[in-house]
Amino acid sequence: MLACFTKERIMPMGKGYSDKTISKNIKMEMKAGKPQKQAVAMALGMATKSAKAAGKPSKAPMKKMK
């Protein structure tokens, strides 16, 4: 499980694949000092994992092609 490490406590990332959950996870990781690109990658990875676990792989965030 991915976690947000702070000096006071460890906060796990929220589980889910909604836009609201992804946004919350990105904000939490950036607040913990992660670069934006890393925070986005972690949040999207967790959302994809959650969607697949829920049996809804079509709802998982799609990777952008360059």
Side-chain angles (χ1 to χ4, degrees), residues 1-34:
M1 173 182 260
L2 300 173
C4 168
F5 296 97
T6 63
K7 292 180 182 176
E8 296 100 28
R9 61 180 180 239
I10 298 173
M11 293 183 63
M13 293 179 72
K15 294 180 183 177
Y17 47 91
S18 69
D19 289 342
K20 185 176 179 180
T21 302
I22 294 169
S23 178
K24 180 179 147 198
N25 287 339
I26 292 170
K27 288 177 186 175
M28 186 171 58
E29 290 300 325
M30 288 181 63
K31 188 174 180 182
K34 301 274 192 303

Side-chain angles (χ1 to χ4, degrees), residues 30 34-43:
M30 288 181 63
K34 301 274 192 303
Q36 182 179 5
K37 286 185 176 183
Q38 185 179 6
V40 169
M42 291 172 68

